[in-house]
């Protein structure tokens, strides 16, 4: 709907934005404000359900299947979401430097990948590719497990662990990462996951 801008559907962790920061956090705040330019890219990480597309608030036995948003029909993509990810990934890059593929951190259970896997042919991946340049699109996809669906308060810890796995992958592959940006929603523990990332890696998290 035109009355519900995409900006109201995303959650960006700008550490205590608008409030005084402790001295130990000034460096991280400066990095978040000054994305700048250069040859190092931004690693954008995104949740899927209720961040890229609406879950519709579907539940089984009072357990949410993917999120809590009932304002959009289940499966609808949020306006501008793919362009937003593409623009963030190339922000401040030199013209001769390629953007790092977007990473997906999802709570979708790996045990159900036969039905829920986000393959390169998935609509999410193809839509990101359409907005990217030079073959940019979705790279790593890191899943949750059935355990987090049963004990949903563990979703934040799982996403934080997947973030650490992604960091290790980037280091092994020698990727030049300027910093990380996590995009999520306020429904199922993305806020807590983002706070864990910022608290553990204040010099690497941009937002």
């Amino acid at each position: 709907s035109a009355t519900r801008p995409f900006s109201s559907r995303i959650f960006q962790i700008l550490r205590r934005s608008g409030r005084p920061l402790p001295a130990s956090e000034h460096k991280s705040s400066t990095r978040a404000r000054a994305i700048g330019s250069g040859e190092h890219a931004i690693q954008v990480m995104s949740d899927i359900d209720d961040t890229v597309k609406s879950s519709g608030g579907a539940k089984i036995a009072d357990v949410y299947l993917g999120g809590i948003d009932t304002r959009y029909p289940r499966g609808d993509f949020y306006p501008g979401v793919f362009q937003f990810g593409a623009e963030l990934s190339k922000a401040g890059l030199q013209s001769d430097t390629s953007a790092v593929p977007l990473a997906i951190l999802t709570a979708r259970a790996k045990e159900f990948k036969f039905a829920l896997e986000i393959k390169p042919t998935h609509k999410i991946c193809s839509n990101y590719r359409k907005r990217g340049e030079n073959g940019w699109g979705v790279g790593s996809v890191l899943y949750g497990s059935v355990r987090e669906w049963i004990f949903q308060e563990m979703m934040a810890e799982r996403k934080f662990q997947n973030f650490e796995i992604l960091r290790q992958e980037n280091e092994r592959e020698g990727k030049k990462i300027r910093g990380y940006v996590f995009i999520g929603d306020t429904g199922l523990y993305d806020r807590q996951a983002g706070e864990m990332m910022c608290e553990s890696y204040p010099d690497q998290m941009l937002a």
Side-chain angles (χ1 to χ4, degrees), residues 9-67:
R9 301 300 312 137
I10 64 169
F11 154 57
Q12 296 185 8
I13 310 159
L14 296 174
R15 306 201 66 193
R16 301 182 180 90
S17 178
R19 291 191 280 169
L21 293 173
S24 62
E25 294 178 332
H26 279 205
K27 184 176 180 181
S28 178
S29 175
T30 300
R31 288 171 60 86
R33 289 196 304 270
I35 290 179
S37 61
E39 61 179 12
H40 291 199
I42 295 171
Q43 172 69 79
V44 177
M45 308 172 292
S46 181
D47 176 50
I48 292 299
D49 298 298
D50 281 5
T51 300
V52 173
K53 70 182 190 65
S54 174
S55 68
K59 294 191 291 185
I60 293 180
D62 210 36
V63 176
Y64 286 104
L65 296 181

Side-chain angles (χ1 to χ4, degrees), residues 95-150:
S95 59
D96 59 348
T97 303
S98 297
V100 173
L102 179 140
I104 290 175
L105 307 184
T106 177
R108 295 184 179 197
K110 59 187 177 183
E111 293 87 347
F112 299 144
K113 283 178 69 175
F114 64 90
L116 299 175
E117 184 175 8
I118 301 171
K119 302 178 180 179
T121 54
H122 196 286
K123 285 184 178 180
I124 290 172
C125 296
S126 60
N127 273 296
Y128 273 120
R129 280 197 302 272
K130 289 177 184 177
R131 272 65 174 194
E133 299 174 0
N134 303 317
W136 180 88
V138 173
S140 298
V141 180
L142 298 116
Y143 295 86
S145 71
V146 170
R147 182 184 65 169
E148 288 89 59
W149 286 110
I150 299 172

Side-chain angles (χ1 to χ4, degrees), residues 109-200:
K110 59 187 177 183
E111 293 87 347
F112 299 144
K113 283 178 69 175
F114 64 90
L116 299 175
E117 184 175 8
I118 301 171
K119 302 178 180 179
T121 54
H122 196 286
K123 285 184 178 180
I124 290 172
C125 296
S126 60
N127 273 296
Y128 273 120
R129 280 197 302 272
K130 289 177 184 177
R131 272 65 174 194
E133 299 174 0
N134 303 317
W136 180 88
V138 173
S140 298
V141 180
L142 298 116
Y143 295 86
S145 71
V146 170
R147 182 184 65 169
E148 288 89 59
W149 286 110
I150 299 172
F151 306 104
Q152 293 196 342
E153 66 275 7
M154 301 180 74
M155 286 184 179
E157 178 66 26
R158 166 66 75 168
K159 289 191 176 181
F160 175 72
Q161 291 172 354
N162 283 342
F163 164 61
E164 292 196 306
I165 291 172
L166 178 65
R167 286 182 61 256
Q168 293 166 7
E169 286 181 358
N170 285 340
E171 289 177 3
R172 283 197 305 270
E173 295 173 8
K175 292 180 181 176
K176 296 179 178 180
I177 305 297
R178 193 185 326 157
Y180 292 80
V181 172
F182 177 53
I183 308 169
D185 61 88
T186 57
L188 293 178
Y189 299 97
D190 283 352
R191 176 179 63 82
Q192 292 88 336
E195 288 175 348
M196 293 170 70
M197 296 174 194
C198 287
E199 289 168 3
S200 298

